[in-house]
Amino acid sequence: MSERIAVLIDAENTSVQYVDAVFKELNQYGDIAVQRMYGDFSNKGMSEWSKKGLEYAIVPIHQARYTASKNASDIMLVIDAMDFLFQGTADVFCIVTSDSDFTRLASRLREGGKKVVGMGKSNASKTFINACNEYKYLDKISEDEEEEESCSDSAITPLPDIKKALNYMLQQAENSGEMLNMGSAKSRLQREFPDFDERNYGYTLFRMFIEEDTKYIVKIEGSTAYITRKNQDKKINVSNDIETFILECAKNKIELGALGQELLKQFPNFRYKDSGYSKFSKYIQSIKGIETKKTGNKWYVVLSK
C-alpha cells in the first residue's frame, strides 16, 4: 500500500513560490492524506498564500498573533502533528519550514516510528535538517530558481564531505573484493547527510553527479549500476551540432538567457535536463572551451582562455 503523507506548511516561514516544488517532490513518497498551512492569513502579506491554498486545496489554519514576539501558528502546527501521530493519520510527515524551532517535533515524530521529510531554503537550520530523515532545499529544486544563485550562506553539505564519504564506501567495497552498488551508495549518503540531493550540486541525475563531480565512473552490469574509479576524465556527451552552435555564439559573448532562447529556436527539442543537469549554466560549463562570467547582474557565455 502507498504511504500516507501529512503536509504541514509553516506559511510564515516559507515563500509561496515554492508550493509547486513541494507537491511535485511529494509525488515520490505516496498519497497525501492531510495538507495544511499555518499562519496569520489576515496579514496582507499572506494574500498569495490564500490563493495558492485554494489551487492545491490546502486547508488554512488561521492563527492570529497574540503578541509581536510569539508565533502562535507554530504551536498549532505542532499540536496538529502530534494529533496525527497518535491517531495514525500518516506514515510520512512533510514539514515545510526552515525554522530550527521544529527540531524537537521532527525528532519526536521519528521516535514515533514516522518518516520526516523537511523542506525549506538552503540557509535552513542545520539542527532541524539533521533531525529529519531527509531534507529538500526548495530553492535548489524549484523550477523558478535563479541561475548562479549564491550559496555563501547555505547550509548545504559541502561537496568535499560527500566525496570523502563516497571514497570511504568505495574503499570498503574494494577491500571486500566487491563493487559499490550505486543505489546503495545514494541511500547511505542520504542516511549520513539528510540534505543530500544531487540537485543541490547542479545535477538532475545521480549518475551524472558521480561521473562528473566526483571523478568516478558508473559501470552497468545486467540491470545493476556500480560505482568504480576511472582513470581518465569523462568526455562530455553532447551533440556536435549543438556544441558547435554554442561555441559560435560564445565567440561574440552572449547573455546566458539569450543563448537559451537561441538554442530553442535552432533545436526545438533541446532540453538541457535530459543531459543530467538541473541548471542551464551547469550544462554550458560542461562544454570544453566554454565558461560563464558575470557582468553587472547578468551572466554571459564566453570562450574560455
Side-chain angles (χ1 to χ4, degrees), residues 120-126 129-130 135-141 145 149-162 193-202 209 279:
K121 294 199 69 176
S122 52
N123 60 357
S125 162
K126 198 69 176 177
I129 292 172
N130 290 333
Y135 195 88
K136 304 294 182 179
Y137 294 119
L138 293 174
D139 50 338
K140 297 300 176 186
I141 65 178
E145 70 172 313
E149 182 177 2
S150 172
C151 295
S152 58
D153 61 347
S154 174
I156 294 174
T157 299
L159 185 58
D161 292 352
I162 303 295
F193 308 104
D195 66 336
F196 176 74
D197 189 316
E198 59 269 16
R199 290 170 295 184
N200 296 339
Y201 307 95
F209 168 79
K279 290 184 179 182

Side-chain angles (χ1 to χ4, degrees), residues 23 38 42 47 146 159 167 177 185 202 207 217 229 238 275:
F23 285 93
Y38 301 80
S42 63
S47 60
E146 294 291 329
L159 185 58
N167 190 58
R207 176 172 180 168
I217 194 169
R229 301 183 190 277
V238 64
S275 298

Side-chain angles (χ1 to χ4, degrees), residues 7-285:
V7 186
L8 309 177
I9 304 174
D10 178 8
E12 295 183 338
N13 186 261
T14 305
S15 172
V16 70
Q17 77 182 73
Y18 299 129
V19 175
D20 294 335
V22 168
F23 285 93
K24 181 179 179 182
E25 194 69 17
L26 286 175
N27 288 333
Q28 65 180 292
Y29 293 99
D31 298 323
I32 297 175
V34 178
Q35 46 194 34
R36 295 186 178 183
M37 59 186 188
Y38 301 80
D40 181 356
F41 297 104
S42 63
N43 188 321
K44 291 183 179 179
M46 301 290 287
S47 60
E48 289 301 314
W49 269 107
S50 297
K51 295 177 184 177
K52 204 67 175 179
L54 287 173
E55 180 181 337
Y56 280 94
I58 309 171
V59 177
I61 306 300
H62 171 71
Q63 186 64 54
R65 291 195 179 199
Y66 299 114
T67 65
S69 61
K70 300 293 183 181
N71 192 344
S73 63
D74 287 2
I75 304 300
M76 290 302 301
L77 190 156
V78 173
I79 291 173
D80 281 354
M82 296 311 294
D83 281 345
F84 298 146
L85 171 64
F86 293 123
Q87 293 165 6
T89 304
D91 307 299
V92 179
F93 283 78
C94 175
I95 304 175
V96 184
T97 187
S98 304
D99 193 342
S100 62
D101 288 348
F102 292 102
T103 299
R104 181 59 188 133
L105 173 62
S107 298
R108 181 64 185 85
L109 292 171
R110 292 183 66 179
E111 289 169 6
K114 305 302 180 182
K115 182 174 184 176
V116 179
V117 178
M119 294 189 186
K121 294 199 69 176
S122 52
N123 60 357
S125 162
K126 198 69 176 177
T127 56
F128 177 58
I129 292 172
N130 290 333
C132 300
N133 293 96
E134 296 179 23
Y135 195 88
K136 304 294 182 179
Y137 294 119
L138 293 174
D139 50 338
K140 297 300 176 186
I141 65 178
S142 172
E143 295 291 339
D144 299 324
E145 70 172 313
E146 294 291 329
E147 288 288 347
E148 301 295 338
E149 182 177 2
S150 172
C151 295
S152 58
D153 61 347
S154 174
I156 294 174
T157 299
L159 185 58
D161 292 352
I162 303 295
K163 291 181 177 180
K164 183 178 180 181
L166 266 174
N167 190 58
Y168 178 71
M169 292 180 205
L170 195 57
Q171 286 179 340
Q172 281 187 313
E174 290 173 344
N175 291 341
S176 302
E178 301 173 349
M179 289 194 294
L180 178 60
N181 182 286
M182 187 173 75
S184 298
K186 182 171 183 179
S187 296
R188 287 176 63 180
L189 283 174
Q190 289 176 326
R191 285 196 296 272
E192 185 171 351
F193 308 104
D195 66 336
F196 176 74
D197 189 316
E198 59 269 16
R199 290 170 295 184
N200 296 339
Y201 307 95
Y203 302 91
T204 56
L205 298 176
F206 184 57
R207 176 172 180 168
M208 286 296 297
F209 168 79
I210 289 296
E211 293 191 321
E212 187 162 302
D213 247 340
T214 63
K215 305 305 179 185
Y216 299 140
I217 194 169
V218 175
K219 183 178 180 180
I220 307 295
E221 290 193 359
S223 59
T224 306
Y226 297 95
I227 300 173
T228 61
R229 301 183 190 277
K230 61 180 179 179
N231 299 319
Q232 57 185 14
D233 292 337
K234 169 179 166 288
K235 295 181 179 179
I236 301 300
N237 181 20
V238 64
S239 163
N240 289 334
D241 290 342
I242 294 177
E243 181 178 357
T244 299
F245 180 81
I246 292 173
L247 287 167
E248 285 298 317
C249 291
K251 289 180 180 179
N252 299 315
K253 184 182 178 182
I254 184 170
E255 196 267 324
L256 188 63
L259 175 59
Q261 294 175 2
E262 290 299 320
L263 273 171
L264 287 176
K265 289 179 183 178
Q266 295 293 323
F267 308 95
N269 296 322
F270 169 73
R271 296 290 184 274
Y272 65 88
K273 289 188 177 183
D274 292 343
S275 298
Y277 297 91
S278 63
K279 290 184 179 182
F280 180 54
S281 58
K282 191 75 175 178
Y283 167 79
I284 292 298
Q285 291 165 358

